[in-house]
Amino acid sequence: TVIDAGVKGYVVQRKAEGEKAFKNLYRQAQADLAKNTFTDTTAAFGQRYVYRVVAYGLDDVLSAPSAEAAHYVPLPPVLTPRN
């Protein structure tokens, strides 16, 4: 389903805590147009991130960003040693 004929795809952007600017994390390729999910496999444990999405058109100009979504990747559990 085409929502906007001028949209060629989407870019997922991420900013880690302490960073000033968003970085492009994933750019949707033509082959992925039916894909509507994204998993960040590069997120580090114990780190807070803010994500947003922008659309790009035929001229590769980026749209205004979506609302931001924050996410914290918790540290793995620490097991206590048995005596």
Side-chain angles (χ1 to χ4, degrees), residues 1-75:
T1 304
V2 176
I3 295 173
D4 185 337
V7 174
K8 187 175 173 183
Y10 297 91
V11 177
V12 177
Q13 298 179 326
R14 180 181 80 184
K15 179 173 67 170
E17 188 173 48
E19 293 180 344
K20 294 183 181 185
F22 280 88
K23 296 176 183 172
N24 291 347
L25 189 59
Y26 168 76
R27 183 179 177 102
Q28 185 181 35
Q30 285 296 118
D32 295 336
L33 291 182
K35 183 179 175 182
N36 62 0
T37 62
F38 171 76
T39 301
D40 183 358
T41 59
T42 64
F45 291 116
Q47 184 67 52
R48 295 181 193 282
Y49 295 102
V50 177
Y51 296 86
R52 68 184 186 186
V53 176
V54 294
Y56 66 94
L58 299 174
D59 53 5
D60 281 342
V61 173
L62 298 178
S63 70
S66 67
E68 296 177 358
H71 180 67
Y72 173 71
V73 182
L75 292 169

